């Protein structure tokens, strides 16, 4: 049997980091996920999907994600039965996140104050040169054409 889900959307609120009585980190948040098609009225519809993350994933999400950030969540769908304050039986669906990834770039979220971790990178992280891509020194002629007759590949 398989229960695997991938969703991508924007956080509708800041994640709420909590701890269980035993100290395990847990955070919950909601993603606004646009549907791929439009309704009969021509408008895009959006699903609001509840997500819960545990342990280091919870700490990561609460540290680096805020309302409006794009996130990609990999996890499983969980259905929970519970009773409301009036004693009525209720049922909720939520995604239990195994992994959460950035769905946008630092540039896209500059207003949100996002500062990505720099795993294995020099302190200060990597920043691309302003002005975008520039051709290698020497221009296109700096690349040598490979002779197709030569049976050996250069790598």
């Amino acid at each position: 049997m398989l229960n695997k889900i991938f969703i991508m959307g924007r956080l509708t609120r800041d994640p709420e980091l909590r701890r269980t009585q035993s100290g395990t980190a847990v955070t919950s948040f909601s993603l606004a996920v646009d549907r791929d098609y439009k309704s009969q009225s021509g408008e895009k519809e959006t699903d609001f999907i509840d997500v819960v993350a545990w342990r280091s994933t919870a700490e990561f999400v609460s540290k680096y994600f805020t309302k409006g950030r794009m996130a990609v969540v990999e996890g499983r769908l969980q259905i929970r039965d519970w009773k409301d304050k009036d004693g009525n039986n209720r049922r909720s669906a939520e995604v239990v996140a195994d992994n959460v990834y950035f769905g946008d770039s630092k540039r896209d979220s500059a207003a949100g104050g996002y500062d990505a971790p720099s795993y294995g990178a020099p302190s200060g992280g990597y920043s691309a040169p302003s002005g975008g891509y520039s051709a290698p020194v020497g221009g296109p002629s700096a690349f040598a054409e490979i002779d197709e007759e030569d049976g050996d590949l250069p790598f």
Side-chain angles (χ1 to χ4, degrees):
M1 297 203 208
L2 180 67
N3 182 354
K4 193 72 161 175
I5 188 167
F6 291 88
I7 56 174
M8 180 175 173
R10 295 199 178 273
L11 276 74
T12 61
R13 64 184 193 286
D14 289 342
E16 306 165 13
L17 182 66
R18 302 178 309 279
R19 301 233 176 235
T20 63
Q21 289 180 344
S22 63
T24 304
V26 59
T27 189
S28 57
F29 55 98
S30 182
L31 286 184
V33 180
D34 289 336
R35 294 184 181 174
D36 288 339
Y37 56 89
K38 295 181 180 180
S39 67
Q40 289 182 350
S41 64
E43 294 184 25
K44 272 210 165 208
E45 293 185 10
T46 303
D47 293 308
F48 297 90
I49 301 173
D50 293 327
V51 180
V52 62
W54 293 88
R55 297 173 189 80
S56 60
T57 305
E59 292 173 354
F60 173 76
V61 169
S62 67
K63 185 174 181 180
Y64 294 107
F65 287 86
T66 56
K67 179 180 178 179
R69 289 298 313 270
M70 181 75 71
V72 178
V73 175
E74 172 189 2
R76 63 183 170 84
L77 184 62
Q78 174 177 283
I79 308 297
R80 288 187 308 116
D81 293 320
W82 52 281
K83 289 190 184 282
D84 66 12
K85 62 183 178 181
D86 298 326
N88 298 318
N89 291 330
R90 306 285 299 217
R91 178 172 269 196
S92 296
E94 63 189 6
V95 174
V96 178
D98 294 327
N99 295 297
V100 177
Y101 307 97
F102 296 109
D104 54 7
S105 67
K106 185 175 180 178
R107 182 182 312 149
D108 293 342
S109 63
Y114 160 71
D115 187 22
S118 53
Y119 300 109
S123 64
Y126 171 79
S127 62
S130 62
Y133 173 79
S134 60
V137 176
S141 62
F143 294 102
E145 185 143 346
I146 297 174
D147 183 14
E148 292 180 23
E149 301 298 319
D150 185 13
D152 295 331
L153 294 176
F155 50 87

